[in-house]
Amino acid sequence: MADTIRDASGTDSAGEDTGTERETGVHSTSTSTEVETRSEAPGTAVVRPDAIPNPGFPPERLRVTDLDPREEKKAERAVSLWFGLGIFGAIAAVAVYVAFPLGNGDPDVNRWTTFGIGMGIALGLLGIGFGAVHWSKSLMEGHDLVEQRHTTRGSEETRARAVEVFSLGNKESGFSRRKMIRNSMIAALVAFPLPGIVLFRGLAPREDPNELLKFTMWKKGTRLTRDPSGTPIKASEVTIGSAFHVIPEGLNETEDRLEEKAKAAVLLMRLRPQDLTISSGRESWSYDGIVAYSKICTHVGCPVALYEQQTHHLLCPCHQSQFDITREATVIFGPAKRPLPQLPIMVDDQGYLVARSDFREPVGPSFWERENS
Amino acid sequence: MTIDTQGPVTTTHGQERAEDASVVGRMANYLDERTSLSGAVKFLGRKIFPDHWSFMLGEVALYSFVVILLSGTFLTFFFQASMSEVQYDGSYIPMKGVEMSAALQSTLNISFDVRGGLLIRQVHYWAALLFVASIGLHMLRVFFTGAFRKPRELNWVVGFLLFVMAMAEGFTGYSLPDDLLSGNGLRIIDGMVKGLPVVGTWISYLLFGGEFPGTDIVGRLYTLHILLLPAIVVALIGIHMVLLIINKHTQFAGPGRTNDNVVGVPIMPVFAAKAGGFFFIVFGVLMLVAATVTINPIWNYGPYDPSPVSAGTQPDWYIGFADGALRLVPPGWEFLIGPYTVSMNIIVPVLALLVLLGAVAAYPFFEAWVTGDRREHHIADRPRNAPTRTAIGAAGLTFYAALWAAASSDIVATHFRLSIESVIHLCQALLIAGPFVAFFVTKRVCLALQKKDREIALHGFESGRIVRLPGGEYIEVHQPLSEYERWRLVSYEDYQPIMLRPDRRGRITAGMRARARVSNWFFEDRISPVSRPELEASQHH
Ligand code: HEM
Ligand code: FES
C-alpha cells in the first residue's frame, strides 16, 4: 500500500505522470460509438486526442500554523480548551441531574431538567468534536496524499481461478449432469418455505374478516349516546343547526371498545326538514330533520368530524373529502368515492333517539369484498 | 500444503520482531498474534479520503444512526410495547385517571418520571428526522454528481434500500407511543391496505391481528422497529461501507486528480480525527436541539380514539409525499368489477409511489444503457456537465415536491386564505406540469452555465475593468485563468447521440431503435469541453 501513496505536494512529478496517463491510457484507445462488450468500452462518450492535458498538482500552500510557531502554540491551546470545555459539560450534566429530582409532574421542572442535562451533554460532545476537528485542521500533517486506483474486477488470473472453482464444483458434484437430482432439489427448496408462510395465518383470529366488517354494534333500539360520556340524547335536545358526536349505548362497557368505536362512531345533525333531499326507501331513516351518518370516512377511515353549519358540509381532516349532508352525504370533493353510510334512526317512547337497525352497508374504507354479501 | 513447515518459522520471527516493550506495543502484539489485525491496519490505516463538504452528508446519516441506536436502546429499558388498557397514574396531572394503553403510559413515564427521559426521547426523534433527511440529501448528491456510475451502481441500490428502511423505521417508531396521532396514522395505513385489490382485506386483518385497531399492532411494530429493521439497516450499512472501501471514494475534478488516483487525507490520523470529531459535533447539535425544542408532545394529544377530530395534524416530513399522493386523487376513482370493489383512489397513488421509488432505484442502469459506457468512473460530475441527468433529477424532485406540498394542503389553504379546492387543484397542476417545466428550465440553465464556463476557460474572468482603446472603442479587461483553475472547467466527459447502424448481422432491432431515440434525447444538446487547439487559438490573438 505504502508504495502506491505519493505526496501530492511540491514539485513531485507524480501528478504530471498520472495526469497525462489518463489522456493516453486505456480509456482513449477506442473512438467507436458502437456497443462493445469489452469492459472498458466508452460507449457513446467522445474520446478526444486533443483534450487539454491535466496540469498536475498545484504547489502546496502552507497554513499559518506551519509558518508561525506562535500560531501553532495558540492552536494547541485552543484544542485543549475545547477538550476542557467537554469535560466541564459532562460534569455539568451530572450536576444538573443530581440537583433536579423529578416526579411531581410539573412540566416546567421537566423542561428545565431536560434543558440543563441536555445542554451539559451537548457541551461535552461539542467540546470533543470541535477540539478534534480543530486539531486535525490546524496541527496534523496537512497536505494531500495520492493513492492509485485499481480496476475493481479481479485480475485475469483470479477470475480464471474462480471459473475453475465453479467448474470443479460442478464436475465433482455432477450438478448439471445429474438433472434429476438438481431439479428435485430445487423443487424441495421451493417447497420448504411454504409452511412458514402458512404459519402467518395465525396472525389473526379464525373468523372471516368480511363477516366482521359488515356489522357494527348498532341494533334495532340501541340508544344514541354522547361521545364520550355515554349519556342518551333526546330528540328535543337536538336543535336545528347543532351537531352531536355519537356512540352506541353501552360502548364504553364493551371489551373491544376501540374496535367497536372505529366502526360505530356517528355524527348526528339537525337540519330544517325542507333542506334535506331524501331518496326513496330512506323516508323513515331520519326524524324531523335529524339525521345520523357514520363518522368514519369512506376514503381510508379518518373521523369525518368537521361540520360546517352554514353549508351543511362535512369535511374530513385527513385528505379533505367533503360530504353534503343535504344530499345524503354524497361526496362533493376529495378522494373519497362513496357517501357516508346513513344510520336509520327513530325515537323511542321516552323521546330518546334510537337506531332503527344497524347500518345497511359496511362503514369505513372500501375493501375488495365490500359489495359481496 | 506448505503451511506446516513455514508456520513455526514465522512465529519465532514475529516474536523477535515485536520487541516493542511499551504497554500499547505489547497489547498490539498480543492482539495481532491472535487475530492478524495488523493486516487490516496495513490495508485500511492509510487509505485516502478525498474531501468535499457534500461528502459529509453520508457521514451525517451514519452518525445520526449511531445516535438513534444509543438513544433507542435507552428507551427500550422503559418502553412497554403493550396495548392493554391501564388507568394513567403517573405524575402528569392533566392525564391522571385517563384510560390509555400501557404503551402510551410508559411513554408518558419516560417523559415525566424518568430523569432525562424526555431528553432521550427527543434526541431519538430529532436524530430520526435528521437520519432520513441526510440520507435523502446524500442520495441527491450522489445522483447529481453521477457518483452512481460504474462501479458503484450496486452501492446505489444498497443506499436506496437504506432510504426505504429509514422511512419504515420512522413510521414504525411514530406508531409506537399509541397516542392520538400515531393511531390516526395507523388508521390511514389500515384504510390503504384494505383498498388493495384481492388481498387487502386479509392483509389488514392479519397485520392488526383482527379488526382495526386491535391489541397487537404496537407489539408487532415494536419487534420490527427494534429488531428486524435495525438488523437489516446495520447489515445494509455494512455492505455499503465495504463497497465504499472496495470502490474507493469519488472525487471532484481538480489539477492532478485523475480517474486513476485518489487525492486526499489518510484515514490515520487526519480523516479519523476529522470524522470522529464530526460525529461528536452531529451528536452535540442533536443534543442541543433536543434540549431546547419539544417534539411530539404526546401529553397534549392523549390516547388514540377513533372518533375525535385532529385537524391540521401532519405526518413526519418523510411520509408527507405518500399522504399527499392520497390527497391529489380526483373524486370518484372507485368502481365495481362484478361484486368486487376496485379502489383506484388508493391503487393509483400506491402505484405512483412505487413507480417513483422504482425509477430512483433503476436510474443508474438506465443511464448505463443509454451511454453504453462500460468504463469505471471515479471523477464526480459537476451537475451542469450532465444537463439531461440533472434535468431528470430536477423533474423528479418537482414531482416529489408537489406530492409533499399536497400533504400540507389544508395548512396552506388556511394560511394563505385560499379554498382547499384551489390548493388541491394547484398541486395537481404542479404534479403533472411541474416536472416538464423543471426539466426544460434546468436543462437550459445547465447549458447556459456550460457556455459560460467555456467563455471563462477561453478568455478568462470578466474583471469588471473597462478600458478605452486608442481607437475610441471600449472593452472590458479579462483576467486570465491559471492552468489549475482552467482544468476544473475543461475536464469533463462528453457524450454524443448514438448513430443507428446495423449490427453484425445487418439488423436494426426495436431495442436499438429505442436506445438511439433515448440517446438522441439525452445528448442532442451538448457543449463540448474546450480543446487544446481552441485554447491555443484564443491565446494567440
Ligand atoms: C433508523 C432507525 C430508527 C428511526 C428512524 C426511529 C424513529 C423513531 C420514532 C420517530 C419514534 C417515536 C418517538 C416518540 O414519539 O417518542 C421512535 C420510538 C422508539 N424507538 Fe425508534 N427509531 C429507529 C431505531 C430504533 C432502534 C434501533 C431502537 C432500539 C434499539 C429504537 C427504539 C425505540 C423505542 C423503544 C421507541 C418508543 C419509545 C417512545 O415512543 O418514546 N428505535 N423511533
Ligand atoms: S380519510 Fe377522509 S379523506 Fe382520506
Side-chain angles (χ1 to χ4, degrees):
Chain A
M1 183 91 350
D3 57 340
T4 62
I5 294 179
R6 291 201 221 129
D7 194 321
S9 64
T11 53
D12 187 338
S13 62
E16 294 287 354
D17 289 352
T18 46
T20 44
E21 188 179 293
R22 179 175 176 245
E23 308 309 320
T24 57
V26 271
H27 299 337
S28 47
T29 47
S30 161
T31 48
S32 157
T33 57
E34 279 172 57
V35 194
E36 287 177 56
T37 41
R38 284 199 308 129
S39 63
E40 294 100 17
T44 63
V46 184
V47 183
R48 301 173 184 282
D50 63 352
I52 296 174
N54 192 326
F57 293 106
E60 188 194 2
R61 262 185 284 160
L62 293 176
R63 300 169 297 195
V64 279
T65 45
D66 296 324
L67 300 171
D68 183 349
R70 268 183 323 194
E71 289 292 328
E72 193 187 341
K73 261 263 146 317
K74 234 162 88 186
E76 211 179 312
R77 275 197 300 268
V79 172
S80 297
L81 187 66
W82 276 119
F83 288 149
L85 277 177
I87 302 172
F88 171 76
I91 293 174
V94 175
V96 175
Y97 187 97
V98 176
F100 292 92
L102 277 185
N104 56 359
D106 181 348
D108 270 342
V109 176
N110 204 20
R111 196 167 311 131
W112 285 111
T113 351
T114 303
F115 180 76
I117 301 176
M119 289 311 241
I121 300 178
L123 188 60
L125 295 163
L126 290 175
I128 300 177
F130 286 132
V133 170
H134 193 45
W135 182 6
S136 76
K137 289 213 160 177
S138 61
L139 293 171
M140 289 185 187
E141 189 57 52
H143 53 253
D144 279 345
L145 300 180
V146 188
E147 187 183 355
Q148 294 304 305
R149 289 181 197 273
H150 309 283
T151 44
T152 311
R153 59 190 269 147
S155 67
E156 289 311 319
E157 202 184 320
T158 315
R159 288 158 63 97
R161 177 66 186 151
V163 171
E164 192 189 337
V165 165
F166 274 111
S167 56
L168 279 176
N170 186 20
K171 202 171 104 210
E172 292 172 9
S173 64
F175 186 79
S176 49
R177 195 157 36 87
R178 304 186 211 276
K179 289 224 164 49
M180 194 163 73
I181 293 190
R182 188 191 62 193
N183 293 349
S184 55
M185 182 184 81
I186 292 174
L189 286 176
V190 169
F192 108 89
L194 293 179
I197 298 170
V198 172
L199 280 178
F200 279 93
R201 172 62 185 88
L203 282 174
R206 290 183 55 183
E207 295 99 311
D208 180 346
N210 286 300
E211 295 312 309
L212 301 173
L213 287 173
K214 278 164 194 163
F215 301 99
T216 75
M217 250 184 89
W218 293 105
K219 286 197 301 279
K220 181 167 186 184
T222 311
R223 276 188 180 158
L224 280 70
T225 64
R226 289 179 179 79
D227 178 16
S229 67
T231 51
I233 306 167
K234 277 200 160 121
S236 54
E237 292 170 314
V238 186
T239 52
I240 288 196
S242 67
F244 286 70
H245 299 271
V246 167
I247 49 177
E249 182 168 36
L251 178 102
N252 288 336
E253 286 72 52
T254 55
E255 234 153 71
D256 35 10
R257 183 172 64 90
L258 290 183
E259 292 73 37
E260 291 303 345
K261 194 167 183 179
K263 289 190 295 185
V266 156
L267 210 66
L268 185 76
M269 291 140 289
R270 182 170 200 162
L271 284 68
R272 289 179 312 181
Q274 65 269 30
D275 286 341
L276 291 173
T277 319
I278 298 177
S279 59
S280 72
R282 290 199 184 186
E283 293 86 356
S284 63
W285 289 15
S286 55
Y287 176 81
D288 198 16
I290 303 179
V291 284
Y293 285 96
S294 166
K295 197 172 158 185
I296 311 302
C297 189
T298 56
H299 180 221
V300 290
C302 286
V304 185
L306 301 180
Y307 180 53
E308 250 186 83
Q309 246 186 54
Q310 266 75 40
T311 55
H312 311 302
H313 290 172
L314 279 174
L315 172 71
C316 179
C318 280
H319 314 104
Q320 281 81 45
S321 288
Q322 290 170 38
F323 304 86
D324 184 355
I325 294 305
T326 62
R327 289 188 288 144
E328 299 185 335
T330 39
V331 178
I332 48 174
F333 185 76
K337 156 84 191 244
R338 289 175 296 104
L340 296 167
Q342 185 174 3
L343 181 72
I345 53 169
M346 57 188 188
V347 170
D348 69 7
D349 40 19
Q350 290 164 311
Y352 288 108
L353 290 166
V354 297
R356 223 173 236 286
S357 71
D358 196 354
F359 290 98
R360 300 293 171 83
E361 56 180 321
V363 298
S366 302
F367 54 98
W368 181 248
E369 304 90 338
R370 186 174 176 281
E371 302 280 332
N372 188 17
S373 44
Chain B
M1 294 183 266
T2 54
I3 293 167
D4 286 347
T5 53
Q6 287 196 340
V9 182
T10 34
T11 318
T12 36
H13 264 271
Q15 275 168 349
E16 273 162 25
R17 268 195 253 110
E19 273 317 338
D20 187 351
S22 72
V23 180
V24 179
R26 269 180 301 160
M27 265 165 43
N29 180 51
Y30 182 94
L31 265 182
D32 188 43
E33 289 183 349
R34 282 153 188 83
T35 60
S36 311
L37 204 60
S38 60
V41 175
K42 173 176 169 246
F43 177 65
L44 290 176
R46 294 288 275 186
K47 266 203 153 337
I48 301 299
F49 269 80
D51 203 9
H52 188 263
W53 65 265
S54 69
F55 299 167
M56 295 203 299
L57 293 168
E59 282 183 57
V60 175
L62 182 64
Y63 302 150
S64 39
F65 182 63
V66 175
V67 176
I68 284 174
L69 280 182
L70 293 173
S71 56
T73 304
F74 183 84
L75 292 176
T76 60
F77 297 148
F78 303 96
F79 180 70
Q80 285 179 315
S82 154
M83 291 171 90
S84 50
E85 289 251 319
V86 296
Q87 278 202 350
Y88 178 70
D89 66 351
S91 59
Y92 181 61
I93 290 142
M95 286 272 157
K96 273 247 190 282
V98 172
E99 297 238 337
M100 59 178 66
S101 64
L104 182 59
Q105 162 153 284
S106 66
T107 312
L108 285 169
N109 288 345
I110 292 173
S111 308
F112 290 103
D113 297 277
V114 176
R115 239 185 290 179
L118 180 61
L119 179 69
I120 302 298
R121 253 195 80 216
Q122 298 193 150
V123 166
H124 191 70
Y125 209 121
W126 281 115
L129 294 181
L130 181 64
F131 181 57
V132 194
S134 52
I135 293 187
L137 292 175
H138 173 60
M139 277 178 95
L140 291 176
R141 192 286 287 178
V142 171
F143 181 86
F144 285 111
T145 62
F148 54 76
R149 288 172 297 169
K150 188 182 172 186
R152 298 184 180 77
E153 304 97 321
L154 297 183
N155 223 9
W156 167 267
V157 176
V158 173
F160 165 79
L161 291 177
L162 274 167
F163 182 60
V164 175
M165 287 297 133
M167 290 191 288
E169 270 286 27
F171 188 81
T172 51
Y174 184 79
S175 308
L176 292 182
D178 201 21
D179 61 306
L180 187 60
L181 295 194
S182 68
N184 228 346
L186 285 172
R187 174 84 249 205
I188 295 176
I189 291 292
D190 170 58
M192 282 176 73
V193 172
K194 281 195 176 123
L196 300 179
V198 188
V199 290
T201 316
W202 277 94
I203 291 187
S204 151
Y205 191 58
L206 294 172
L207 183 66
F208 287 90
E211 283 191 278
F212 175 86
T215 50
D216 294 336
I217 187 71
V218 167
R220 289 177 182 174
L221 293 180
Y222 190 55
T223 309
L224 297 181
H225 186 76
I226 71 160
L227 184 75
L228 194 59
L229 293 175
I232 296 175
V233 171
V234 168
L236 288 173
I237 290 180
I239 300 174
H240 206 64
M241 296 291 106
V242 168
L243 281 174
L244 171 71
I245 290 169
I246 292 176
N247 296 150
K248 299 203 176 86
H249 212 292
T250 54
Q251 59 192 353
F252 278 100
R257 299 182 191 176
T258 74
N259 204 37
D260 302 316
N261 68 13
V262 198
V263 181
V265 295
I267 290 197
M268 267 309 218
V270 182
F271 184 75
K274 254 189 205 167
F278 191 47
F279 163 69
F280 282 97
I281 291 175
V282 170
F283 200 168
V285 169
L286 281 170
M287 263 302 161
L288 214 59
V289 175
T292 48
V293 191
T294 305
I295 188 156
N296 204 15
I298 38 144
W299 54 91
N300 290 341
Y301 309 145
Y304 176 61
D305 182 318
S307 160
V309 215
S310 34
T313 57
Q314 295 281 287
D316 277 342
W317 76 264
Y318 47 85
I319 302 293
F321 78 122
D323 196 51
L326 285 177
R327 295 185 186 208
L328 291 187
V329 175
W333 282 20
E334 181 183 306
F335 55 85
L336 290 175
I337 297 185
Y340 296 113
T341 307
V342 185
S343 308
M344 296 311 276
N345 49 2
I346 287 160
I347 298 169
V348 169
V350 168
L351 277 182
L353 298 182
L354 291 180
V355 167
L356 179 65
L357 290 178
V360 171
Y363 185 80
F365 307 98
F366 167 71
E367 195 181 300
W369 174 71
V370 175
T371 61
D373 189 348
R374 307 268 169 93
R375 299 168 303 172
E376 294 195 356
H377 289 278
H378 303 294
I379 300 281
D381 281 329
R382 293 167 82 208
R384 69 185 61 172
N385 289 333
T388 306
R389 176 204 299 147
T390 304
I392 291 175
L397 264 184
T398 312
F399 188 79
Y400 184 91
L403 293 177
W404 198 68
S408 307
S409 54
D410 45 342
I411 305 218
V412 174
T414 44
H415 193 83
F416 295 100
R417 293 163 194 249
L418 299 166
S419 76
I420 193 77
E421 289 85 346
S422 50
V423 176
I424 291 284
H425 289 146
L426 205 72
C427 289
Q428 284 167 334
L430 193 63
L431 185 77
I432 306 297
F436 292 97
V437 176
F439 181 90
F440 180 79
V441 171
T442 308
K443 189 152 177 184
R444 291 297 127 195
V445 169
C446 285
L447 291 168
L449 287 172
Q450 274 186 299
K451 271 192 201 138
K452 180 135 204 267
D453 281 354
R454 251 183 100 82
E455 275 306 296
I456 294 174
L458 286 172
H459 306 298
F461 291 112
E462 292 165 4
S463 64
R465 205 151 54 83
I466 312 282
V467 290
R468 189 168 169 214
L469 296 181
E473 187 188 351
Y474 288 91
I475 60 154
E476 188 179 3
V477 177
H478 282 236
Q479 202 172 327
L481 291 173
S482 77
E483 56 177 343
Y484 304 121
E485 289 166 319
R486 185 182 305 117
W487 175 247
R488 287 179 210 279
L489 303 181
V490 301
S491 59
Y492 63 87
E493 294 282 352
D494 172 31
Y495 293 87
Q496 61 195 14
I498 298 178
M499 284 210 281
L500 197 55
R501 272 188 250 149
D503 66 6
R504 250 167 282 144
R505 283 193 267 158
R507 292 174 316 174
I508 294 183
T509 63
M512 289 163 68
R513 254 181 241 287
R515 194 175 148 224
R517 208 165 301 138
V518 178
S519 163
N520 195 43
W521 169 70
F522 233 85
F523 299 120
E524 60 187 343
D525 300 318
R526 63 197 184 99
I527 307 244
S528 303
V530 176
S531 68
R532 199 162 35 190
E534 281 178 297
L535 183 64
E536 278 157 12
S538 83
Q539 283 167 343
H540 284 155
H541 66 243

